[in-house]
Amino acid sequence: MDTLTKPISAPRRRTTADTVYPILLLVSVTHLLNDMMQSVIPAVYPLLKAKFGFSFAQIGLITLVFQMTSSILQPFVGRYADRHPRPYSLAAGMCFTLAGLFALALAPGFAPILLAVALIGWGSSIFHPESSRVAQLASGGRKGLAQSIFQVGGNAGSAFGPLLAALVVIPYGQTSIMWFAPAALLAIGILLRIGNWYKRQLTAATAAPVTATTAAAELPRRKIRRALLILTMLVFSKYFYIACMTNYFTFFLMDKFAFSVQDAQYSLFAFLAASAAGTVIGGPLGDRIGRKYVIWGSILGAAPFALMLPYAGSGGAVALAILVGLIISSAFSAIVVYATDLMPGRVGMIAGLFFGLMFGLGGLGSAFFGWLADRTSIEFIFRVSALLPLMGIITGFLPDVERKR
C-alpha cells in the first residue's frame, strides 16, 4: 500500500523514499509564482507614491488592506480544508490573483488600488493553507524538510518580485504589471495537476484516522495554548521587523545614501534572496536538532546584525541586511511544523493561522511604520524595528517537545 494513504501524523518511522519530491517541487514552484506576484505590490510603492502623490501612511494602508485580506480568511479556509478538503480550490484561488493583477495594472487611484490588492490577498488566503496540507501529505514524515521546500518557493518569489519590478514595472509603468499574468496562468495549470494528485491521495486516505503525536499526547492543553501564544509573539517580532525591511528598506537606502530606485530594488532583492536561502536551512535542521533550537537561534541570532544595520555605511547596511535575512528566515518553517505537531489533524487550520499571522502582522507593521515614518524619519523606524528580534529570547519558554517523542 502506498505510504501516502497513511495519516500525515502517523507515528511510525518513515524513510526519505516516502517523500514525494515531484509534488513538493511543484507546490514550491506555485508558491514561488504566487508570492512573486504578491511581492510586486510593495516593489511598486515608489512608482505609485510618485505617480499619485501618496503619503507613507497611504502606502502603509495599501499594505494593510493586502495583508489583512491575506490573513483574516486563512485560518477559516484552513479549518474548512481540514474537514472538507477541496483539491481544486488551489487553482480557483489563483484566479483571484490573476484578476487582482489586471485590476492593479489599470487602477486609476487610491480606492481601486485597495480593491486590486484585496483581490490578490483573497487569492493568497486560499492558496497557503491548502498547499501546506499538500506539502505535509507529500512529506513522507520529513515535515520540516517539506515545509522548507514549500516555503523556499515563496521566499524566492518574494525576492524575484522586486527584481522583476525594477526591470519591468519601474521602466515601463503601472500598466506593465499585467505582464505578470502569464505567471498566474502557469500557476493555475500546475495547481490543476497538483489537484489531481491531491484528489487521489484524499480518496485513498478517507478511512485513515489522524492520530495524535507523542508530544501532543503528553502535553496538557494549558501548555499547548501557552506554546501557541509564545509562537504567536515570535511571529509578531519576526514579521513586524520583516515588514519594515520589505516595505521601507528601499526608502531607507534612497533617503540615507541617495540610492537610485533601481539600485534600492536590487538591494531589497539581495535581502529577500538571502531570506529564501535561509529558509532552506531551517526545516531540515529542525528535523535533525529540534525545531525549538532553530527558532531560538534564528530570531535571537539575527538581533546583533539588525541592531548594527541603521548605523552602518551604505555597503555595510546592505551586507548586514543580507545576514539578517539569511538568519531570521529559517524560523518560520520550524514554527509552522512545531505548531502542527502540537495540534495534529489540524494542519490546514494551523498553517492558515500562522500564514495569516505572517501576512496580518506584516500589514499592521507596515501601516505602523509608515505612520511612524511620517512623524519621525525613515532612519528612526529602522532603529526602533531593530529591537524586535531581541524577543527571540522567549523561545526558551517553549516546551521541549522533540525530547518527548
Side-chain angles (χ1 to χ4, degrees), residues 291-302 331 392-397:
R291 302 184 228 289
K292 173 179 174 179
Y293 304 106
V294 171
I295 297 168
W296 207 340
S298 173
I299 298 178
L300 189 59
I393 196 169
I394 67 174
T395 307
F397 295 101

Side-chain angles (χ1 to χ4, degrees), residues 332-355:
F332 189 69
S333 296
I335 288 172
V336 171
V337 176
Y338 185 102
T340 56
D341 282 347
L342 290 174
M343 301 189 70
R346 299 183 181 180
V347 175
M349 186 188 76
I350 291 297
L353 174 64
F354 279 94
F355 274 107

Side-chain angles (χ1 to χ4, degrees), residues 262-283:
Q262 285 188 320
D263 287 342
Q265 294 285 12
Y266 294 144
S267 300
L268 178 60
F269 167 74
F271 165 74
L272 295 173
S275 297
T279 302
V280 180
I281 302 171

Side-chain angles (χ1 to χ4, degrees), residues 28-210:
S28 182
V29 168
T30 56
H31 199 187
L32 183 152
L33 294 171
N34 180 81
D35 285 22
M36 179 188 72
M37 291 179 285
Q38 290 183 29
S39 66
V40 169
I41 296 173
V44 300
Y45 284 167
L47 184 149
L48 297 177
K49 189 176 188 297
K51 180 177 180 179
F52 296 105
F54 293 156
S55 67
F56 283 119
Q58 286 177 299
I59 293 294
L61 186 58
I62 292 171
T63 303
L64 177 62
V65 170
F66 167 59
Q67 304 285 36
M68 294 304 288
T69 53
S70 298
S71 62
I72 290 175
L73 292 179
Q74 285 205 41
F76 300 101
V77 172
R79 188 170 184 269
Y80 182 84
D82 287 334
R83 298 182 177 184
H84 310 285
R86 293 290 184 266
Y88 299 107
S89 64
L90 289 167
M94 193 61 64
C95 293
F96 282 96
T97 300
L98 178 62
L101 286 174
F102 279 105
L104 183 59
L106 302 173
F110 186 63
I113 287 174
L114 293 181
L115 176 60
V117 300
L119 285 170
I120 298 173
W122 289 332
S124 175
S125 70
I126 297 171
F127 175 81
H128 286 98
E130 195 73 277
S131 55
S132 291
R133 284 175 51 84
V134 171
Q136 289 217 9
L137 188 61
S139 69
R142 300 184 66 183
K143 293 186 286 185
L145 172 66
Q147 189 67 35
S148 280
I149 293 174
F150 169 67
Q151 191 63 29
V152 74
N155 284 6
S158 297
F160 281 118
L163 179 63
L164 292 174
L167 295 175
V168 177
V169 182
I170 300 300
Y172 296 102
Q174 180 185 354
T175 56
S176 64
I177 293 173
M178 67 177 64
W179 295 0
F180 288 86
L185 293 172
L186 175 61
I188 290 170
I190 296 174
L191 289 170
L192 287 172
R193 180 178 176 183
I194 292 173
N196 292 334
W197 177 86
Y198 189 17
K199 183 177 180 180
R200 291 195 299 270
Q201 305 312 308
L202 290 173
T203 301
T206 299
V210 177

Side-chain angles (χ1 to χ4, degrees), residues 194-387:
I194 292 173
N196 292 334
W197 177 86
Y198 189 17
K199 183 177 180 180
R200 291 195 299 270
Q201 305 312 308
L202 290 173
T203 301
T206 299
V210 177
T211 57
T213 62
T214 305
E218 292 185 7
L219 286 176
R221 288 179 180 270
R222 177 177 56 82
K223 287 191 175 182
I224 292 175
R225 287 194 295 267
R226 186 179 69 179
L228 291 174
L229 177 61
I230 292 172
L231 292 175
T232 299
M233 295 172 66
L234 292 171
V235 170
F236 161 79
S237 68
K238 173 180 166 62
Y239 283 100
F240 251 59
Y241 181 78
I242 293 293
C244 186
M245 289 294 296
T246 302
N247 293 287
Y248 301 108
F249 189 49
T250 53
F251 294 111
F252 172 77
L253 295 175
M254 292 162 60
D255 180 72
K256 186 173 182 179
F257 304 114
F259 276 34
S260 69
V261 173
Q262 285 188 320
D263 287 342
Q265 294 285 12
Y266 294 144
S267 300
L268 178 60
F269 167 74
F271 165 74
L272 295 173
S275 297
T279 302
V280 180
I281 302 171
L285 192 61
D287 287 336
R288 181 175 296 272
I289 69 170
R291 302 184 228 289
K292 173 179 174 179
Y293 304 106
V294 171
I295 297 168
W296 207 340
S298 173
I299 298 178
L300 189 59
F305 307 105
L307 289 167
M308 288 188 288
L309 190 152
Y311 306 98
S314 59
V318 175
L320 288 167
I322 292 171
L323 284 173
V324 171
L326 186 67
I327 296 170
I328 203 169
S329 62
S330 61
F332 189 69
S333 296
I335 288 172
V336 171
V337 176
Y338 185 102
T340 56
D341 282 347
L342 290 174
M343 301 189 70
R346 299 183 181 180
V347 175
M349 186 188 76
I350 291 297
L353 174 64
F354 279 94
F355 274 107
L357 282 170
M358 177 181 74
F359 287 117
L361 291 172
L364 289 172
S366 176
F368 170 75
F369 286 120
W371 170 84
L372 188 60
D374 281 336
R375 284 154 180 78
T376 55
S377 68
I378 285 291
E379 188 171 352
F380 179 78
I381 67 172
F382 274 80
R383 293 175 181 173
V384 171
S385 65
L387 301 173

